[in-house]
Amino acid sequence: MKEKNDIKIFIIPTIISILILISIILGILYVEYIRNLTSKNILKNLGELAKQEAENISDKMQEHKRILETIINQIDIKTEDEVFKKYNTNAGKDEFSRIAILYKDGKTSTSDGTVVDLSQDINYFFQTNEIQISKTRLSKVDKKEINIYSKKISWNNQEEVVILLVVETDKYENLFLQSIYNGKGIEYLITVNGEIIANSNKEENGINIFEKLKENNKNKINKNLKNIEKMEQEINKTLNGQMLYKEKDNNFYIAYQKLGINEWYLIIRTPGSVVAEELNKILKMTLIITNIIISIIFIISLYIIINNKKKKDKLFKLAYIDEITKIGNKNYFIEESQKLLESNFENIYLIVLDINKFKSFNKEYGHKRGNELLLNIGKILTKKFNKESIISRLANDIFAIIFESKEDINKISENIIENVSKIKIENEKYQIYVSLGIYKIKKGEKIIEKILDKALLALDKVKGNYNKQYMIYDELLEKEIEKEHEIELNMQQALDNQEFVIYYQPKISTRTKKIEGAEALVRWIRNNKVIPPNEFIPLFEKNKFIIKLDTYIFNKVCEDLKEWKRKYNNIPLISVNISKEHIVKEDFIKDYLDIAKKNKIDSKEIELEITETATMERDIVMVMKKIKKAGFIISIDDFGTGYSSLSMLQNMPIDKIKIDKTFIDQINIKSTKKNIIKYIIFIAKQLKIKTVAEGVESLEQVEYLEKIGCDTIQGYYYSKPLSKNDFEVYKEHIDGL
Ligand code: C2E
Ligand code: CA
Ligand code: CA
């Protein structure tokens, strides 16, 4: 079963793919954006860090300056010993290596007890009254790198000396500078000219950082050099700032911050990998989050798709699938066949299948079994016809199949009937009969309802026919159906216009040779033409009009009897046919009794002919008992054509059996059936049931029947069915008045 909305299922995955693609592109743009942002952030943070560090460092230096100041202020008697003593008792002493006193001639005494010559530096140390902090230099005492805090004072109010407080650069570096960013970031303390005073990386001091950076960038990108030059210029202008530059394929971030002391600068330099790490962390998080979001979107979409598909399937099932048989229903049939009819086809048939007596099957075995039977028939049909065929259950127990086949349609039909007849339900075998109506669809026919009607008409024809199980709709059938249609149109009017008249066929007693009774047989006189009952009775049985007609005939018979009762001394027992459709409607007994009573006729003066096939109906024994109780004589018509046996009749309140004409016909020929009549009559006698022979046409038959003890003879040998008038003439001739 194809679903035309299949394409829709592909739309959602396509949309999802496009969305994922868009998210990937957005992701890449996002990464770029984050990279820039992080870069900017890092620079900004680095700037902040440099500012704070610079503050810390200058604070520390100010503190050192204050220590120097304090020592100097505490000096009362200006002697070397006193200075050293004061120094030794000073709290901040640990941070310094020694204190020294420099005289104008360069002689310098230190708290270590050594004397060195600093005459070369006299100009520097004596140039100002302010406290100075020196660049990194080599100690004359121990050759270590040192920095010197110095202040010029008046020694004993006359001689000028400089007090020097010495800090080891190493210590200095430990005090001020620290490794940042997990040791990857380096801090440099430089002069405004770029000379390195101290650094946190144990690098060589005294060299020029600008030159060093430029050196590393030899033959490298212009942009980097420009950046370095720009930094140099900005530092020259005492500006703060940050920059990014590349060195051997690695990115570096640099922040430069004025220290506020000696026009020194603090430089922080950190590799890009630090940023990359930061960035990676952010990206990782982003990636995880995006993945989660995409997964959630994917799962939700998948859920929606599956749900939608389920819903669609469910709706499709509700709309097009028959719940019991799991094959298509009528909607499915109409829609699919309409599609097929639009296509170019050849050898296409429609078969409608109807289960005979499905109602009885349900009653006898229950609805569950009934449903299983339907399911099994669906399975048989699905197996028998190929996938292109349209197989559905149209209603109740009616199936329809449209299929293409070059095979003989009679063979196909017989095959279906045979397959179904062998049905097994839960390993139990059931004898199932089905009827088929078949129509070969002509090219150009497009309206499925009309096509279905034709197959259903053929099916209808089978149903009223005991020896046919399938029928193909053809022109003949069409004419017949047209005729039936016309009959149906006219039947009520015919009844009102009294077009139905009774003919009476005498029944002669083999014993007295007198008229014992007569059968009332209906004729339809239309436009002065007599229509025989076999042309309309089967139709009336099907459309139930027979109930009206039988009642009408019964009424007329009663009226005739009433008249004859006045006219004659002895009146024959008149038998009236009563249809099977009528008998199952048991309240007819009351109606018939009322009619008889109205005409002052006793029920025992009338015989009801019930066909043998009617005795197969459910609950018939009960109905017959009621008929008997009402007083009517009961005879079994067409005996021998059905499947009942005399032993079955034993349980029924039967007065007579009418042996069917087919048996009587055998009397002329030497046949075993001849013997059967003998046995029937013999057994009937045992059961005290009278026998009537029907359709007796020859003297030979009469003589044989008389010989074997048949009670009554009806047939052309004595008389054809006669109009009321002719019957009266016949009776007066045989019986006299
Ligand atoms: P049936 O009840 O078996 O009636 C006997 C049929 O055999 C009658 O045909 C009768 O004309 C015919 N027949 C009698 N003797 C001979 C004979 O020697 N040779 C031949 N070839 N035929 C003979 P008819 O009148 O055409 O009736 C046909 C059937 O129509 C009847 O068969 C009966 O089943 C049905 N029928 C007739 N009238 C009524 C009616 O008022 N109500 C019902 N329900 N059915 C009726
Ligand atoms: Ca009859
Ligand atoms: Ca008969």
Short mmCIF file of all heavy atoms in Angstrom, two decimals, residues 501-503 505 519-523 531-538 541 546 549-551 553-554 576-580 582 609 611 637-638 658 660-661 665 693-698 701 714-721, ligand 1:
data_model
loop_
_atom_site.label_atom_id
_atom_site.label_comp_id
_atom_site.label_asym_id
_atom_site.label_seq_id
_atom_site.Cartn_x
_atom_site.Cartn_y
_atom_site.Cartn_z
N VAL A 501 -53.55 -13.43 -10.97
CA VAL A 501 -54.75 -14.26 -10.88
C VAL A 501 -54.37 -15.69 -10.53
O VAL A 501 -53.22 -16.09 -10.72
CB VAL A 501 -55.56 -14.27 -12.20
CG1 VAL A 501 -56.08 -12.86 -12.52
CG2 VAL A 501 -54.71 -14.81 -13.33
N ILE A 502 -55.37 -16.43 -10.02
CA ILE A 502 -55.07 -17.80 -9.59
C ILE A 502 -55.53 -18.80 -10.64
O ILE A 502 -56.61 -18.70 -11.20
CB ILE A 502 -55.77 -18.13 -8.26
CG1 ILE A 502 -55.38 -17.09 -7.20
CG2 ILE A 502 -55.42 -19.54 -7.81
CD1 ILE A 502 -56.18 -17.23 -5.92
N TYR A 503 -54.65 -19.76 -10.90
CA TYR A 503 -55.02 -20.93 -11.68
C TYR A 503 -55.02 -22.10 -10.71
O TYR A 503 -54.23 -22.13 -9.77
CB TYR A 503 -54.01 -21.16 -12.81
CG TYR A 503 -54.37 -20.39 -14.08
CD1 TYR A 503 -54.64 -19.01 -14.02
CD2 TYR A 503 -54.45 -21.04 -15.32
CE1 TYR A 503 -54.97 -18.31 -15.17
CE2 TYR A 503 -54.79 -20.33 -16.47
CZ TYR A 503 -55.05 -18.97 -16.39
OH TYR A 503 -55.39 -18.28 -17.52
N GLN A 505 -54.82 -26.20 -10.24
CA GLN A 505 -54.49 -27.49 -10.87
C GLN A 505 -55.06 -28.61 -10.01
O GLN A 505 -54.69 -28.75 -8.84
CB GLN A 505 -52.99 -27.67 -11.05
CG GLN A 505 -52.67 -28.92 -11.85
CD GLN A 505 -51.19 -29.08 -12.16
OE1 GLN A 505 -50.36 -28.70 -11.34
NE2 GLN A 505 -50.90 -29.62 -13.33
N GLU A 519 -54.16 -27.29 -6.47
CA GLU A 519 -53.10 -26.37 -6.03
C GLU A 519 -53.33 -25.01 -6.67
O GLU A 519 -53.57 -24.91 -7.86
CB GLU A 519 -51.72 -26.92 -6.44
CG GLU A 519 -50.59 -25.97 -6.01
CD GLU A 519 -49.20 -26.50 -6.32
OE1 GLU A 519 -49.08 -27.62 -6.88
OE2 GLU A 519 -48.24 -25.80 -6.00
N ALA A 520 -53.29 -24.01 -5.83
CA ALA A 520 -53.45 -22.64 -6.34
C ALA A 520 -52.10 -22.18 -6.85
O ALA A 520 -51.12 -22.16 -6.12
CB ALA A 520 -53.95 -21.73 -5.23
N LEU A 521 -52.08 -21.81 -8.15
CA LEU A 521 -50.82 -21.37 -8.76
C LEU A 521 -51.03 -19.99 -9.36
O LEU A 521 -52.02 -19.75 -10.06
CB LEU A 521 -50.38 -22.36 -9.84
CG LEU A 521 -49.97 -23.74 -9.30
CD1 LEU A 521 -50.05 -24.79 -10.39
CD2 LEU A 521 -48.57 -23.69 -8.70
N VAL A 522 -50.10 -19.11 -9.10
CA VAL A 522 -50.30 -17.73 -9.52
C VAL A 522 -49.89 -17.52 -10.97
O VAL A 522 -48.99 -18.18 -11.49
CB VAL A 522 -49.54 -16.77 -8.58
CG1 VAL A 522 -48.05 -16.91 -8.75
CG2 VAL A 522 -50.01 -15.33 -8.78
N ARG A 523 -50.59 -16.63 -11.64
CA ARG A 523 -50.23 -16.18 -12.99
C ARG A 523 -50.28 -14.66 -13.00
O ARG A 523 -51.12 -14.06 -12.34
CB ARG A 523 -51.23 -16.70 -14.04
CG ARG A 523 -51.33 -18.22 -14.12
CD ARG A 523 -50.08 -18.80 -14.80
NE ARG A 523 -50.13 -20.25 -14.85
CZ ARG A 523 -49.58 -21.04 -13.92
NH1 ARG A 523 -49.00 -20.51 -12.86
NH2 ARG A 523 -49.63 -22.35 -14.05
N ILE A 531 -47.64 -14.19 -17.80
CA ILE A 531 -46.24 -14.35 -17.40
C ILE A 531 -46.18 -15.50 -16.40
O ILE A 531 -46.85 -15.47 -15.38
CB ILE A 531 -45.68 -13.07 -16.75
CG1 ILE A 531 -45.92 -11.85 -17.66
CG2 ILE A 531 -44.19 -13.23 -16.43
CD1 ILE A 531 -45.58 -10.52 -17.00
N PRO A 532 -45.38 -16.57 -16.71
CA PRO A 532 -45.31 -17.71 -15.78
C PRO A 532 -44.56 -17.33 -14.50
O PRO A 532 -43.69 -16.47 -14.52
CB PRO A 532 -44.55 -18.76 -16.58
CG PRO A 532 -43.79 -18.01 -17.61
CD PRO A 532 -44.54 -16.75 -17.89
N PRO A 533 -44.89 -17.99 -13.40
CA PRO A 533 -44.33 -17.62 -12.10
C PRO A 533 -42.81 -17.73 -12.00
O PRO A 533 -42.19 -16.97 -11.26
CB PRO A 533 -45.00 -18.57 -11.10
CG PRO A 533 -45.75 -19.55 -11.89
CD PRO A 533 -45.89 -19.06 -13.28
N ASN A 534 -42.22 -18.66 -12.75
CA ASN A 534 -40.75 -18.78 -12.62
C ASN A 534 -40.02 -17.51 -13.09
O ASN A 534 -38.84 -17.35 -12.85
CB ASN A 534 -40.24 -20.02 -13.37
CG ASN A 534 -40.62 -19.99 -14.84
OD1 ASN A 534 -41.48 -19.19 -15.25
ND2 ASN A 534 -39.99 -20.83 -15.63
N GLU A 535 -40.76 -16.60 -13.79
CA GLU A 535 -40.11 -15.36 -14.23
C GLU A 535 -40.16 -14.26 -13.18
O GLU A 535 -39.47 -13.27 -13.29
CB GLU A 535 -40.75 -14.86 -15.53
CG GLU A 535 -40.18 -15.58 -16.74
CD GLU A 535 -40.73 -15.07 -18.06
OE1 GLU A 535 -41.12 -13.88 -18.14
OE2 GLU A 535 -40.77 -15.87 -19.00
N PHE A 536 -41.02 -14.46 -12.18
CA PHE A 536 -41.08 -13.38 -11.16
C PHE A 536 -40.98 -13.87 -9.72
O PHE A 536 -40.55 -13.12 -8.84
CB PHE A 536 -42.32 -12.49 -11.34
CG PHE A 536 -43.64 -13.24 -11.33
CD1 PHE A 536 -44.29 -13.51 -10.12
CD2 PHE A 536 -44.24 -13.67 -12.52
CE1 PHE A 536 -45.50 -14.19 -10.11
CE2 PHE A 536 -45.44 -14.35 -12.51
CZ PHE A 536 -46.09 -14.61 -11.31
N ILE A 537 -41.36 -15.17 -9.47
CA ILE A 537 -41.32 -15.65 -8.08
C ILE A 537 -39.90 -15.56 -7.47
O ILE A 537 -39.74 -15.03 -6.36
CB ILE A 537 -41.89 -17.08 -7.96
CG1 ILE A 537 -43.36 -17.11 -8.36
CG2 ILE A 537 -41.67 -17.66 -6.55
CD1 ILE A 537 -44.36 -16.73 -7.31
N PRO A 538 -38.85 -16.04 -8.18
CA PRO A 538 -37.51 -15.96 -7.58
C PRO A 538 -37.14 -14.51 -7.22
O PRO A 538 -36.55 -14.25 -6.17
CB PRO A 538 -36.58 -16.49 -8.67
CG PRO A 538 -37.44 -17.37 -9.50
CD PRO A 538 -38.81 -16.71 -9.50
N GLU A 541 -39.01 -13.48 -4.23
CA GLU A 541 -38.45 -14.09 -3.01
C GLU A 541 -37.26 -13.28 -2.53
O GLU A 541 -37.05 -13.10 -1.34
CB GLU A 541 -38.07 -15.55 -3.28
CG GLU A 541 -39.29 -16.45 -3.21
CD GLU A 541 -38.99 -17.91 -3.50
OE1 GLU A 541 -37.97 -18.19 -4.16
OE2 GLU A 541 -39.81 -18.76 -3.11
N ILE A 546 -42.71 -11.40 -2.19
CA ILE A 546 -43.44 -12.67 -2.16
C ILE A 546 -44.38 -12.73 -0.95
O ILE A 546 -45.46 -13.34 -1.02
CB ILE A 546 -42.46 -13.87 -2.17
CG1 ILE A 546 -43.19 -15.19 -2.46
CG2 ILE A 546 -41.69 -13.98 -0.85
CD1 ILE A 546 -43.68 -15.29 -3.87
N LEU A 549 -47.46 -11.05 -2.01
CA LEU A 549 -48.15 -11.81 -3.05
C LEU A 549 -48.80 -13.08 -2.47
O LEU A 549 -49.97 -13.36 -2.74
CB LEU A 549 -47.18 -12.18 -4.18
CG LEU A 549 -47.80 -12.93 -5.35
CD1 LEU A 549 -48.80 -12.02 -6.09
CD2 LEU A 549 -46.75 -13.42 -6.34
N ASP A 550 -48.02 -13.82 -1.66
CA ASP A 550 -48.57 -15.04 -1.04
C ASP A 550 -49.81 -14.72 -0.22
O ASP A 550 -50.82 -15.44 -0.28
CB ASP A 550 -47.53 -15.69 -0.11
CG ASP A 550 -46.59 -16.61 -0.89
OD1 ASP A 550 -46.83 -16.78 -2.10
OD2 ASP A 550 -45.64 -17.15 -0.30
N THR A 551 -49.75 -13.65 0.52
CA THR A 551 -50.88 -13.27 1.35
C THR A 551 -52.09 -12.92 0.47
O THR A 551 -53.24 -13.27 0.76
CB THR A 551 -50.50 -12.08 2.26
OG1 THR A 551 -49.24 -12.35 2.84
CG2 THR A 551 -51.52 -11.85 3.36
N ILE A 553 -52.67 -14.08 -2.55
CA ILE A 553 -53.19 -15.32 -3.14
C ILE A 553 -54.02 -16.08 -2.09
O ILE A 553 -55.12 -16.57 -2.38
CB ILE A 553 -52.04 -16.21 -3.66
CG1 ILE A 553 -51.27 -15.50 -4.78
CG2 ILE A 553 -52.55 -17.58 -4.11
CD1 ILE A 553 -52.03 -15.28 -6.05
N PHE A 554 -53.47 -16.13 -0.87
CA PHE A 554 -54.20 -16.83 0.20
C PHE A 554 -55.57 -16.21 0.40
O PHE A 554 -56.60 -16.89 0.52
CB PHE A 554 -53.38 -16.77 1.50
CG PHE A 554 -54.00 -17.53 2.64
CD1 PHE A 554 -53.82 -18.91 2.75
CD2 PHE A 554 -54.80 -16.89 3.60
CE1 PHE A 554 -54.41 -19.61 3.79
CE2 PHE A 554 -55.39 -17.59 4.64
CZ PHE A 554 -55.19 -18.96 4.73
N VAL A 576 -52.08 -24.03 -0.98
CA VAL A 576 -51.47 -22.73 -1.30
C VAL A 576 -49.98 -22.84 -1.04
O VAL A 576 -49.56 -23.39 -0.02
CB VAL A 576 -52.08 -21.61 -0.42
CG1 VAL A 576 -51.51 -20.26 -0.79
CG2 VAL A 576 -53.58 -21.61 -0.54
N ASN A 577 -49.21 -22.32 -1.99
CA ASN A 577 -47.75 -22.31 -1.79
C ASN A 577 -47.37 -21.20 -0.82
O ASN A 577 -47.89 -20.10 -0.88
CB ASN A 577 -47.03 -22.10 -3.11
CG ASN A 577 -47.19 -23.29 -4.03
OD1 ASN A 577 -46.63 -24.35 -3.78
ND2 ASN A 577 -48.00 -23.12 -5.06
N ILE A 578 -46.46 -21.55 0.07
CA ILE A 578 -45.98 -20.50 0.97
C ILE A 578 -44.45 -20.48 0.94
O ILE A 578 -43.80 -21.51 1.08
CB ILE A 578 -46.55 -20.66 2.40
CG1 ILE A 578 -46.05 -19.52 3.28
CG2 ILE A 578 -46.21 -22.01 3.00
CD1 ILE A 578 -47.00 -19.19 4.40
N SER A 579 -43.96 -19.32 0.66
CA SER A 579 -42.52 -19.20 0.41
C SER A 579 -41.70 -19.28 1.69
O SER A 579 -42.17 -18.96 2.77
CB SER A 579 -42.25 -17.89 -0.31
OG SER A 579 -40.90 -17.56 -0.21
N LYS A 580 -40.46 -19.69 1.50
CA LYS A 580 -39.52 -19.82 2.62
C LYS A 580 -39.35 -18.48 3.36
O LYS A 580 -39.34 -18.44 4.59
CB LYS A 580 -38.16 -20.24 2.02
CG LYS A 580 -37.13 -20.57 3.02
CD LYS A 580 -35.91 -21.15 2.33
CE LYS A 580 -35.02 -20.04 1.79
NZ LYS A 580 -33.87 -20.58 1.03
N HIS A 582 -41.36 -16.35 3.80
CA HIS A 582 -42.59 -16.09 4.51
C HIS A 582 -42.67 -16.89 5.80
O HIS A 582 -43.09 -16.39 6.84
CB HIS A 582 -43.74 -16.48 3.58
CG HIS A 582 -44.97 -15.69 3.83
ND1 HIS A 582 -45.92 -15.50 2.86
CD2 HIS A 582 -45.40 -15.03 4.92
CE1 HIS A 582 -46.89 -14.77 3.37
NE2 HIS A 582 -46.59 -14.47 4.62
N GLU A 609 -48.31 -25.59 1.23
CA GLU A 609 -47.18 -26.30 0.63
C GLU A 609 -45.88 -25.60 1.00
O GLU A 609 -45.67 -24.43 0.68
CB GLU A 609 -47.34 -26.38 -0.90
CG GLU A 609 -48.50 -27.27 -1.33
CD GLU A 609 -48.48 -27.57 -2.83
OE1 GLU A 609 -47.48 -27.26 -3.50
OE2 GLU A 609 -49.49 -28.11 -3.33
N THR A 611 -41.80 -25.89 0.74
CA THR A 611 -40.77 -26.61 -0.03
C THR A 611 -39.80 -27.32 0.91
O THR A 611 -39.58 -26.89 2.04
CB THR A 611 -39.95 -25.66 -0.94
OG1 THR A 611 -39.39 -24.66 -0.12
CG2 THR A 611 -40.80 -25.06 -2.03
N ASP A 637 -43.34 -29.75 -0.31
CA ASP A 637 -43.31 -29.60 -1.76
C ASP A 637 -41.93 -29.97 -2.30
O ASP A 637 -40.93 -29.88 -1.59
CB ASP A 637 -43.62 -28.12 -2.07
CG ASP A 637 -44.15 -27.93 -3.47
OD1 ASP A 637 -44.23 -28.93 -4.21
OD2 ASP A 637 -44.49 -26.78 -3.81
N ASP A 638 -41.90 -30.38 -3.57
CA ASP A 638 -40.64 -30.69 -4.27
C ASP A 638 -39.80 -31.68 -3.48
O ASP A 638 -38.56 -31.58 -3.46
CB ASP A 638 -39.82 -29.42 -4.51
CG ASP A 638 -40.59 -28.36 -5.28
OD1 ASP A 638 -41.56 -28.74 -5.98
OD2 ASP A 638 -40.22 -27.18 -5.18
N LYS A 658 -45.01 -34.16 -1.40
CA LYS A 658 -45.23 -34.11 -2.84
C LYS A 658 -43.92 -34.50 -3.52
O LYS A 658 -42.92 -33.78 -3.45
CB LYS A 658 -45.65 -32.70 -3.27
CG LYS A 658 -47.01 -32.29 -2.71
CD LYS A 658 -47.44 -30.93 -3.22
CE LYS A 658 -47.93 -31.00 -4.65
NZ LYS A 658 -48.38 -29.66 -5.14
N ASP A 660 -41.22 -34.87 -6.10
CA ASP A 660 -40.88 -33.93 -7.17
C ASP A 660 -40.96 -34.57 -8.55
O ASP A 660 -40.71 -35.77 -8.72
CB ASP A 660 -39.47 -33.36 -6.94
CG ASP A 660 -39.22 -32.16 -7.81
OD1 ASP A 660 -39.85 -31.11 -7.54
OD2 ASP A 660 -38.43 -32.26 -8.76
N LYS A 661 -41.26 -33.73 -9.52
CA LYS A 661 -41.45 -34.17 -10.91
C LYS A 661 -40.22 -34.92 -11.44
O LYS A 661 -40.34 -35.86 -12.22
CB LYS A 661 -41.73 -32.95 -11.78
CG LYS A 661 -42.02 -33.27 -13.24
CD LYS A 661 -42.45 -32.01 -14.00
CE LYS A 661 -42.81 -32.33 -15.43
NZ LYS A 661 -41.65 -32.73 -16.24
N ASP A 665 -40.50 -38.27 -13.62
CA ASP A 665 -39.96 -38.37 -14.98
C ASP A 665 -39.18 -39.68 -15.19
O ASP A 665 -39.06 -40.16 -16.31
CB ASP A 665 -39.03 -37.19 -15.29
CG ASP A 665 -39.81 -35.89 -15.43
OD1 ASP A 665 -41.06 -35.96 -15.59
OD2 ASP A 665 -39.19 -34.80 -15.38
N ALA A 693 -47.98 -37.30 -6.15
CA ALA A 693 -47.01 -37.30 -7.24
C ALA A 693 -47.24 -36.07 -8.10
O ALA A 693 -48.36 -35.79 -8.50
CB ALA A 693 -47.13 -38.57 -8.06
N GLU A 694 -46.14 -35.33 -8.35
CA GLU A 694 -46.23 -34.06 -9.09
C GLU A 694 -45.78 -34.25 -10.52
O GLU A 694 -44.85 -35.02 -10.78
CB GLU A 694 -45.29 -33.04 -8.45
CG GLU A 694 -45.89 -32.16 -7.40
CD GLU A 694 -44.95 -31.01 -7.12
OE1 GLU A 694 -43.76 -31.26 -6.81
OE2 GLU A 694 -45.42 -29.86 -7.21
N GLY A 695 -46.40 -33.52 -11.43
CA GLY A 695 -45.93 -33.51 -12.82
C GLY A 695 -46.13 -34.84 -13.53
O GLY A 695 -45.29 -35.26 -14.33
N VAL A 696 -47.24 -35.47 -13.25
CA VAL A 696 -47.52 -36.76 -13.88
C VAL A 696 -48.14 -36.48 -15.25
O VAL A 696 -49.13 -35.78 -15.36
CB VAL A 696 -48.49 -37.60 -13.01
CG1 VAL A 696 -48.80 -38.93 -13.70
CG2 VAL A 696 -47.88 -37.81 -11.63
N GLU A 697 -47.48 -37.03 -16.31
CA GLU A 697 -47.90 -36.66 -17.67
C GLU A 697 -48.42 -37.85 -18.49
O GLU A 697 -49.07 -37.66 -19.52
CB GLU A 697 -46.74 -35.99 -18.40
CG GLU A 697 -46.42 -34.60 -17.82
CD GLU A 697 -45.22 -33.96 -18.47
OE1 GLU A 697 -44.43 -34.67 -19.13
OE2 GLU A 697 -45.06 -32.73 -18.31
N SER A 698 -48.10 -39.08 -18.04
CA SER A 698 -48.48 -40.22 -18.90
C SER A 698 -49.27 -41.29 -18.13
O SER A 698 -49.19 -41.36 -16.90
CB SER A 698 -47.22 -40.86 -19.48
OG SER A 698 -46.47 -41.44 -18.43
N GLN A 701 -47.09 -43.61 -16.09
CA GLN A 701 -46.73 -43.08 -14.77
C GLN A 701 -47.88 -43.28 -13.79
O GLN A 701 -47.68 -43.69 -12.65
CB GLN A 701 -46.39 -41.58 -14.89
CG GLN A 701 -45.06 -41.32 -15.58
CD GLN A 701 -44.86 -39.85 -15.92
OE1 GLN A 701 -45.84 -39.09 -15.98
NE2 GLN A 701 -43.63 -39.46 -16.16
N GLN A 714 -51.06 -35.37 -9.43
CA GLN A 714 -51.25 -34.02 -9.95
C GLN A 714 -50.40 -33.92 -11.20
O GLN A 714 -49.24 -34.31 -11.21
CB GLN A 714 -50.78 -33.00 -8.89
CG GLN A 714 -50.82 -31.56 -9.37
CD GLN A 714 -50.26 -30.58 -8.32
OE1 GLN A 714 -49.92 -30.99 -7.21
NE2 GLN A 714 -50.19 -29.32 -8.69
N GLY A 715 -50.98 -33.46 -12.28
CA GLY A 715 -50.17 -33.35 -13.49
C GLY A 715 -50.99 -33.18 -14.73
O GLY A 715 -52.22 -33.27 -14.72
N TYR A 716 -50.26 -32.85 -15.84
CA TYR A 716 -50.92 -32.58 -17.11
C TYR A 716 -51.75 -33.78 -17.59
O TYR A 716 -52.67 -33.63 -18.39
CB TYR A 716 -49.90 -32.22 -18.19
CG TYR A 716 -49.19 -30.87 -17.95
CD1 TYR A 716 -48.17 -30.46 -18.80
CD2 TYR A 716 -49.58 -30.02 -16.91
CE1 TYR A 716 -47.52 -29.26 -18.62
CE2 TYR A 716 -48.94 -28.82 -16.72
CZ TYR A 716 -47.91 -28.43 -17.56
OH TYR A 716 -47.28 -27.25 -17.37
N TYR A 717 -51.39 -34.99 -17.10
CA TYR A 717 -52.14 -36.16 -17.54
C TYR A 717 -53.63 -35.96 -17.25
O TYR A 717 -54.48 -36.29 -18.07
CB TYR A 717 -51.66 -37.44 -16.85
CG TYR A 717 -52.48 -38.66 -17.21
CD1 TYR A 717 -52.31 -39.28 -18.47
CD2 TYR A 717 -53.45 -39.18 -16.35
CE1 TYR A 717 -53.08 -40.37 -18.83
CE2 TYR A 717 -54.23 -40.27 -16.71
CZ TYR A 717 -54.04 -40.86 -17.96
OH TYR A 717 -54.83 -41.93 -18.33
N TYR A 718 -53.90 -35.39 -16.09
CA TYR A 718 -55.31 -35.09 -15.78
C TYR A 718 -55.68 -33.69 -16.22
O TYR A 718 -56.65 -33.50 -16.92
CB TYR A 718 -55.59 -35.27 -14.29
CG TYR A 718 -55.63 -36.74 -13.89
CD1 TYR A 718 -54.67 -37.31 -13.06
CD2 TYR A 718 -56.68 -37.55 -14.37
CE1 TYR A 718 -54.72 -38.65 -12.71
CE2 TYR A 718 -56.73 -38.91 -14.02
CZ TYR A 718 -55.76 -39.46 -13.20
OH TYR A 718 -55.80 -40.76 -12.88
N SER A 719 -54.84 -32.72 -15.82
CA SER A 719 -55.17 -31.35 -16.21
C SER A 719 -54.01 -30.39 -15.96
O SER A 719 -53.24 -30.55 -15.02
CB SER A 719 -56.38 -30.86 -15.40
OG SER A 719 -56.57 -29.48 -15.61
N LYS A 720 -53.92 -29.41 -16.85
CA LYS A 720 -53.00 -28.30 -16.60
C LYS A 720 -53.64 -27.41 -15.55
O LYS A 720 -54.83 -27.55 -15.28
CB LYS A 720 -52.80 -27.50 -17.89
CG LYS A 720 -51.96 -28.23 -18.91
CD LYS A 720 -51.46 -27.24 -19.96
CE LYS A 720 -50.41 -27.97 -20.79
NZ LYS A 720 -49.85 -27.13 -21.83
N PRO A 721 -52.89 -26.46 -14.96
CA PRO A 721 -53.53 -25.50 -14.07
C PRO A 721 -54.60 -24.73 -14.86
O PRO A 721 -54.35 -24.34 -15.99
CB PRO A 721 -52.38 -24.58 -13.63
CG PRO A 721 -51.14 -25.37 -13.86
CD PRO A 721 -51.43 -26.24 -15.04
P1 C2E B 1 -44.69 -25.92 -7.77
O1 C2E B 1 -45.24 -25.51 -6.45
O2 C2E B 1 -43.85 -27.13 -7.80
O3 C2E B 1 -45.88 -26.04 -8.75
C1 C2E B 1 -46.00 -26.97 -9.66
C2 C2E B 1 -45.55 -26.51 -10.96
O4 C2E B 1 -45.49 -27.64 -11.90
C3 C2E B 1 -46.51 -25.51 -11.63
O5 C2E B 1 -45.78 -24.62 -12.43
C4 C2E B 1 -47.32 -26.38 -12.56
O6 C2E B 1 -47.88 -25.67 -13.64
C5 C2E B 1 -46.30 -27.36 -13.03
N1 C2E B 1 -46.87 -28.67 -13.48
C6 C2E B 1 -47.92 -29.35 -12.95
N2 C2E B 1 -48.13 -30.52 -13.60
C7 C2E B 1 -47.17 -30.58 -14.58
C8 C2E B 1 -46.86 -31.55 -15.58
O7 C2E B 1 -47.53 -32.62 -15.74
N3 C2E B 1 -45.85 -31.31 -16.40
C9 C2E B 1 -45.11 -30.10 -16.26
N4 C2E B 1 -44.11 -29.90 -17.09
N5 C2E B 1 -45.37 -29.17 -15.34
C10 C2E B 1 -46.40 -29.43 -14.49
P2 C2E B 1 -46.02 -23.11 -12.31
O8 C2E B 1 -47.44 -22.82 -12.13
O9 C2E B 1 -45.30 -22.47 -13.42
O10 C2E B 1 -45.35 -22.74 -10.98
C11 C2E B 1 -44.00 -22.79 -10.82
C12 C2E B 1 -43.64 -22.60 -9.44
O11 C2E B 1 -43.95 -21.28 -9.00
C13 C2E B 1 -44.38 -23.49 -8.47
O12 C2E B 1 -43.83 -24.74 -8.40
C14 C2E B 1 -44.26 -22.75 -7.19
O13 C2E B 1 -43.06 -23.10 -6.56
C15 C2E B 1 -44.21 -21.30 -7.63
N6 C2E B 1 -45.51 -20.72 -7.39
C16 C2E B 1 -46.60 -20.68 -8.17
N7 C2E B 1 -47.58 -19.99 -7.55
C17 C2E B 1 -47.10 -19.58 -6.36
C18 C2E B 1 -47.62 -18.82 -5.27
O14 C2E B 1 -48.80 -18.39 -5.26
N8 C2E B 1 -46.82 -18.61 -4.19
C19 C2E B 1 -45.57 -19.11 -4.16
N9 C2E B 1 -44.83 -18.86 -3.09
N10 C2E B 1 -45.01 -19.81 -5.15
C20 C2E B 1 -45.78 -20.05 -6.26
#
